Amino acid sequence: AKRLLLAAAAAAAGGARAARAVTIGDEQFRPEPGYVYALCDGAGETDPSTGEGDPSGATAPPSIDVVDPATRAVIASLPVEPGTRWADGVYMEHCEVEGMPADQLLFAADRGLNQAYVVNVTALNQNNTEDALLATVPIGEGPVHSYALPALGGGEFWVHADDSGHFDVISLNNISELRAGGPVVAHVDVPGHGKLLVDAAMPGYPFRGFASNTREPAVYELLLPSGFGDAVSDIENVYNFSAYADFPLADLHCPSTHGLAYSKLNGHVYATCSDVGVMELDIASKVPVRMHRDAPGNQLFTTPDENYVVVVDKSGDSVHVIVPGEPGAASSKTLPSVHAQGGNPDKVAFFEMDDGSWRMYVSLTDNFHTLPDDTLEGDSGVGWVDLDVVYANQNEAQNLTKVPGAGAVTRKGPYTYRSITTTGSRVATITHHPVDGVALINGHTAELEGVAPTNQGVTRVVHVPMAAQMCSA
């Protein structure tokens, strides 16, 4: 029987270490020993979003492949519905009885069939595919980004449906359907691709969040009331940057928003603005502070030591570093940008070293270079830099050091993406050439340990602990 006991959940991470620099809400589990869940689209089927199929004629159904990083082998594979095209996935835990291990769950969005998969991780880790799939829940069209909100209503999974510009919510108290209150709207007039920012260090947590939209010049401050969601009242405040289109405030104009980050040092929210720069918002006074035009990019991350905000600039082949200032005052870019040396960076994974310092691993796409064979690695792969070295050299720009052998992902111009995650003592990233799989890197030595072959079309990697971390005595 496909049964999972679900009751009241712990609001905090219990036995797991506390999350720092929250991005999607499962960061606190990543240092623990575990497995890499590879979300694979397979091959040979028509993609509902493009109408295209695999020209080779090969057939491989979509799946969730479980990779053991230690052996670099797939220890379990869960076939899923034909037509599934993976978007983001997150790991969550849900307590049944205090003092007993939590239920382990994977939530993964499917943009092909517009649904969310709910997976019993405990079963799948043991290669029990019969009991692994708990539910598929219909969600809005065009899902991409997913988030774990463990402190909201006993735990909630949020996923952004781009076509309708709203967040669908599944409560861990009832994983078989969307919560009764309905979706949380995150646009004013034009729905678009968006992200969510919720941070435990933010005033009002866990009932306060911020959302972006690549089709409107705005950041939306959201109420996050668990248990209901009124389509109008969920938006508490709109930072409308179209009001700054004319002189003398034109420097604060932001045509659209995407990446989001928060700094507890100054209480400011940061939002990327269509490769123009990064908008900095003072959320206490609810006003924009500065547009950082010297730090363009699409992805934002607060460093785990929470002292800096990094901006991934794929087209500029750099990672910029913003230094938060005093509350209400503008931050600065006093540190040089880190150069990716032709790799065109996409996403980052932070790894804590034995001395407590942090190393930043960066997935590389090499998506703007012309190669004699588009499947060659080139400058694709993974690069790294120690953040202490960046901080200590205010007058000398650092370069990412490339880890050779991690392979290349299929190049799609500016829409080339490469998932990466910390997984225990390693870092994992997807790869497509010369083989579909998961490249595994020793986090301490930055050496490639090897590539674990998986099903075709791997698009996401998610770290899943071997054992539950919450609720145990």
Side-chain angles (χ1 to χ4, degrees), residues 306-317:
E306 302 187 87
N307 290 325
Y308 303 91
V309 174
V310 296
V311 188
V312 180
D313 182 3
K314 183 184 294 184
S315 60
D317 198 37

Side-chain angles (χ1 to χ4, degrees), residues 243-259:
Y244 305 105
D246 300 320
F247 182 84
L249 299 176
D251 192 55
L252 291 174
H253 179 61
C254 173
S256 65
T257 57
H258 184 224

